[in-house]
Amino acid sequence: MRVLIVGAGNMANYHAEAYKAAGAELAAAVDVKEDSLKNFCAKHGVAKSFGSVADALAWGEFDSASVVTPDAMHKDASLPLLAAGKHVLCEKPLAPNHADARAMTEAAAAAGTVAMVHLTYRVSAALGAAHELVKAGRLGALRHVQAEYRQSWLAQDSWGDWRTQDTWLWRLSTKHGSLGVLGDVGVHLLDFGCFAANDRVADVRCLLRTFAKAEGDRIGEYPLDANDTAVLTASLAGGAVAVFQASRWMSGHINVLHLRLFGDEGALEVVYGDGEDSLRSCLGAAALKVKEWRDEKPAPQPKTIERFIAAVRDGGPAKPDFAHACDLQQVIDQAFAADAAGDVQPVA
C-alpha cells in the first residue's frame, strides 16, 4: 500500500513509523511549511513532497492518505482525497465541530472508500476485551458507566513546566485554537466509554471549569481561557447512565484512562496508560460476592493504523470509521451547548 502523509508535525512521525513497521510504502508527504516537510522526508526516507493536497493529487501515485494536519484543516485536506477515490485515515478529532464532521462522513459514504479515524486507545487489549464481554451479555443489562481521562501536567511538571515553556500553552488558549480538555481528549474519553459499553450517548449534561493559573489569566500572547476540567453526565441509548470526566489537574496520573462498567449481572474495570493495560472482572457467581474480582488476561489488539491497512488491503472492518467519530463530535458539541445553557441537551 502506498501512503501519502498530509501534515509533517510531531504526530506524523508516529504515523510514518507505524506504516513502515506494517510494511506500507511512504509514497509522499504534504505540508505548507517547507522546513518541516524537508526534515520529515529526510527522517523517514520519503522521496516525494508537495506543498498542497492538490499538488499531490495531480501526481496521484498513492492509494491511501493519513491526514495529520491541525484539527481545523482535517476537512479541507480530506474532502479532495475522498473525491479522488483515495482511502483516508484522519487524526482525531475528525473535525472541530459536528457540521464539518458530518460533511466529511457524507463525503466518505459517497466515495465508497475506507475512511477511518485514528483513535489510538483502541490498541488497549483491556478495552477490546471489555467491549466483547459487554457485547456477549456477560454484564447483563448495563446500568452505570464511569469513564475518566486523568492528566496532571497543570498540577506538576510531568510534561515540562508550562509556566515557562510554551510547548503546551496553545492547549490552554481558545485564541490559539484550543477547545480545552473537552475538545482535546473528549473524543478519546467518549470513545473509550462508548466502545466498551457497545452503546451511544442519547443525551448529555456538562459542567466545564477554567481555573485561574496566572496573573490576569494570561501568559504572554496566550489568554488562558480554555477549559481545564470537564464533567459530563449522559444517558446511553440502551438505558444506562454514564459519567465522563477529564481533567489536567489529576496529580499522580501522567496520562491515564480509567473505566468502570456495571450491569445487573456483573462489572468490569479497565485501566490504560502510564504503562498499564489491565482488566478486572466481577462476573457470574463472583458478582454475588462483593470483593471477588478477577484479573483478566486479554488478547493484544492491533493499532488503528494496522486496522486501516487491513481494511484497504483485505476489505476488513473499517472501524473506527468517520460515522462513529462524527457521532462523538456531536456529543462534544452538545456538551459545550449544555454547559453554556446550564441544561440537558439531546443528542440526535
Side-chain angles (χ1 to χ4, degrees):
M1 187 172 81
R2 299 167 300 170
V3 183
L4 173 74
I5 305 292
V6 184
N10 288 335
M11 195 61 189
N13 293 304
Y14 175 91
H15 282 241
E17 294 296 343
Y19 279 118
K20 288 189 291 186
E25 176 190 347
L26 299 182
V30 172
D31 202 294
V32 295
K33 297 179 180 178
E34 292 185 11
D35 288 345
S36 296
L37 183 60
K38 181 179 178 180
N39 291 337
F40 176 83
C41 290
K43 180 176 181 178
H44 298 288
V46 181
K48 287 283 187 178
S49 61
F50 302 94
S52 70
V53 170
D55 289 343
L57 284 170
W59 172 64
E61 298 298 318
F62 61 96
D63 313 294
S64 309
S66 259
V67 174
V68 206
T69 64
D71 300 349
M73 299 170 64
H74 286 177
K75 177 185 174 184
D76 288 345
S78 297
L79 291 185
L81 291 165
L82 291 167
K86 305 297 184 181
H87 306 288
V88 175
L89 175 67
C90 184
E91 257 302 327
K92 69 84 191 169
L94 186 59
N97 59 72
H98 179 242
D100 282 356
R102 183 172 57 192
M104 295 169 70
T105 302
E106 291 171 351
T113 55
V114 173
M116 292 175 56
V117 63
H118 190 231
L119 291 167
T120 53
Y121 297 129
R122 288 290 185 95
V123 74
S124 167
L127 177 66
H131 169 80
E132 293 300 330
L133 287 167
V134 172
K135 188 177 179 180
R138 294 292 305 280
L139 271 66
L142 201 61
R143 301 301 192 203
H144 191 81
V145 177
Q146 296 175 327
E148 290 185 356
Y149 198 125
R150 302 170 181 168
Q151 291 183 337
S152 61
W153 60 272
L154 285 178
Q156 56 198 76
D157 61 357
S158 51
W159 294 8
D161 184 0
W162 56 271
R163 294 172 179 85
T164 58
Q165 300 170 307
D166 63 6
T167 305
W168 306 111
L169 277 180
W170 71 269
R171 287 186 166 180
L172 306 179
S173 177
T174 59
K175 177 182 176 181
H176 291 78
S178 176
L179 295 176
V181 68
L182 177 58
D184 182 25
V185 303
V187 65
H188 283 313
L189 177 68
L190 289 164
D191 178 64
F192 212 77
C194 290
F195 180 64
N198 196 37
D199 207 346
R200 55 175 292 275
V201 171
D203 62 47
V204 64
R205 300 162 180 82
C206 182
L207 180 64
L208 302 176
R209 282 291 181 270
T210 306
F211 298 101
K213 296 179 283 296
E215 184 177 353
D217 293 322
R218 173 182 290 272
I219 295 178
E221 63 174 315
Y222 295 90
L224 309 182
D225 58 349
N227 60 85
D228 304 326
T229 292
V231 179
L232 285 65
T233 57
S235 301
L236 301 187
V241 171
V243 181
F244 300 93
Q245 302 182 76
S247 182
R248 292 165 171 158
W249 290 100
M250 292 186 174
S251 297
H253 303 279
I254 296 176
N255 194 68
V256 176
L257 280 154
H258 190 182
L259 174 66
R260 299 184 184 95
L261 304 117
F262 302 95
D264 61 2
E265 296 180 10
L268 297 171
E269 181 180 44
V270 175
V271 180
Y272 183 79
D274 288 3
E276 185 174 357
D277 188 7
S278 65
L279 174 64
R280 293 200 311 151
S281 68
C282 183
L283 302 171
L288 301 176
K289 301 178 181 180
V290 176
K291 295 184 179 179
E292 203 161 306
W293 285 80
R294 171 184 173 183
D295 290 325
E296 301 283 349
K297 295 182 179 179
Q301 295 289 309
K303 296 178 180 179
T304 301
I305 284 176
E306 293 170 344
R307 296 177 194 269
F308 178 63
I309 292 171
V312 172
R313 286 181 173 171
D314 310 322
K319 301 290 184 179
D321 60 12
F322 275 27
H324 173 68
C326 182
D327 288 344
L328 296 179
Q329 193 58 48
Q330 185 181 23
V331 177
I332 292 171
D333 280 17
Q334 292 299 81
F336 276 110
D339 174 70
D343 197 3
V344 61
Q345 292 291 318
V347 177

